[in-house]
Amino acid sequence: MLRRIERRGLGRVGFSDLFHALMTMRLAALVGLLALGIVAMNFLFGTIYWLTGGIGGARPGSYGDAVFFSVQTFSTTGYGVLYPKTILANSVASVEIITGLLSTALATGLLFARLSRPQARVMFSKIAVIHPVNGVPTLMFRAANRRRNALTNAEMTVAMTRDEIDPEGNNLRRLLDLTLVRDRSPAFALSWSVMHRITESSPLYGLDAEALAREHCVFICVLTGLDDTLLSTVATRHIYNFTDIKFGARFVDIFDRAADGSFAIDYTRFHDLEE
């Protein structure tokens, strides 16, 4: 994963980027926040009814009846037992009905936007390895489609970031693209072994584990493709830190082919390595 970054000199965005904050928080936290907002709104209007009165069928001075009338009004239920009987109570009820309708529409739209957002279900290997392939040192990691469909025209890009010092002594954070043996798959359905050959033209040429740590190398892997089921472009990202690179190891074989030509893939060994 990416290193923690401390952003100095930036003020809080506040409510100016509220939609992004709601779209990026955990779904359970979003549902809880919406539920808490509805409860708070009902207690707010219930307090107003309790202070102003004018609710027919309510027990005199009953705060509970005022809150329950607020719930019925906010949800536009209206059982008929509790009802507004004064101009002030009808005015407050009208405001609450409008507030309830708008709140329901906003909450529904926000939840729909969260739940309908296309997402890729791709699993990356926990470790990336560097070992010889056909006599050439090769950086390799695995990716697997966790859904039972395929990603059409899937494309993988890998970039490496490293700390460098230029001739003038300035500290730089350089972003370098890694050329892959195969960066595109017409139908990504099962597993994909992503490989980068470490030749003289590679940014990794001549680097060992100590050099990767010294330069704080980070590998950013981005996979994009068209989901056959959703007919939408999906993307996912995975980060390999320099501590996630293992030299002199390779992945174990996870494919098993039967005599009839069919084969199976064992995801329980997806992350397993061998020397």
Side-chain angles (χ1 to χ4, degrees):
M1 58 186 301
L2 284 175
R3 292 175 293 174
R4 185 180 301 276
I5 299 175
E6 179 184 356
R7 292 175 170 85
R8 299 175 179 174
L10 292 178
R12 292 186 177 274
V13 179
F15 290 100
S16 61
D17 207 8
L18 179 61
F19 178 74
H20 183 272
L22 295 176
M23 289 293 291
T24 53
M25 69 170 49
R26 291 181 177 272
L27 182 59
L30 175 61
V31 174
L33 181 62
L34 294 176
L36 181 62
I38 292 175
V39 172
M41 195 72 66
N42 280 293
F43 274 99
L44 173 63
F45 280 100
T47 303
I48 296 175
Y49 293 128
W50 179 62
L51 293 175
T52 59
I55 306 300
R59 292 168 294 180
S62 175
Y63 183 72
D65 286 351
V67 172
F68 285 128
F69 173 72
S70 174
V71 173
Q72 297 173 23
T73 304
F74 190 88
S75 61
T76 66
T77 302
Y79 293 111
V81 177
L82 301 174
Y83 58 93
K85 63 179 181 179
T86 64
I87 296 297
L88 180 58
N90 276 282
S91 300
V92 176
S94 299
V95 174
E96 184 176 12
I97 290 174
I98 296 174
T99 304
L101 291 175
L102 292 176
S103 301
T104 302
L106 291 174
T108 302
L110 187 60
L111 288 175
F112 178 78
R114 283 293 303 269
L115 297 176
S116 63
R117 182 174 55 183
Q119 294 181 343
R121 297 281 292 175
V122 176
M123 176 172 57
F124 288 83
S125 58
K126 297 178 182 179
I127 298 295
V129 299
I130 295 180
H131 69 91
V133 176
N134 296 326
V136 179
T138 302
L139 171 70
M140 179 186 299
F141 62 90
R142 281 174 173 170
N145 187 6
R146 301 178 64 179
R147 290 198 174 106
R148 296 184 180 274
N149 63 350
L151 293 182
T152 301
N153 199 24
E155 183 176 0
M156 181 76 72
T157 59
V158 179
M160 182 184 73
T161 63
R162 61 192 291 186
D163 294 338
E164 292 185 2
I165 300 178
D166 64 9
E168 289 75 23
N170 300 314
N171 293 320
L172 302 176
R173 187 64 179 168
R174 188 175 298 277
L175 180 66
L176 303 169
D177 294 326
L178 300 185
T179 302
L180 303 180
V181 175
R182 180 169 59 89
D183 61 359
R184 190 180 302 272
S185 177
F188 176 40
L190 297 176
S191 178
W192 185 353
S193 295
V194 182
M195 294 183 289
H196 165 71
R197 293 164 61 90
I198 306 177
T199 60
E200 294 184 0
S201 60
S202 169
L204 288 172
Y205 185 76
L207 299 183
D208 55 9
E210 183 179 350
L212 294 180
R214 182 176 61 251
E215 299 180 3
H216 299 97
C217 294
V218 175
F219 301 86
I220 307 172
C221 312
V222 179
L223 174 67
T224 58
L226 179 67
D227 192 293
D228 284 350
T229 303
L230 303 177
L231 297 181
S232 300
T233 300
V234 295
T236 187
R237 181 188 66 181
H238 189 79
I239 306 297
Y240 290 104
N241 207 341
F242 61 88
T243 56
D244 302 321
I245 310 300
K246 186 175 179 58
F247 286 78
R250 65 180 180 181
F251 292 104
V252 300
D253 189 12
I254 58 175
F255 288 96
D256 184 21
R257 186 176 295 275
D260 59 357
S262 62
F263 64 90
I265 180 171
D266 185 5
Y267 289 105
T268 61
R269 306 185 65 194
F270 186 79
H271 306 284
D272 293 349
L273 305 175
E274 61 184 3
E275 297 296 332

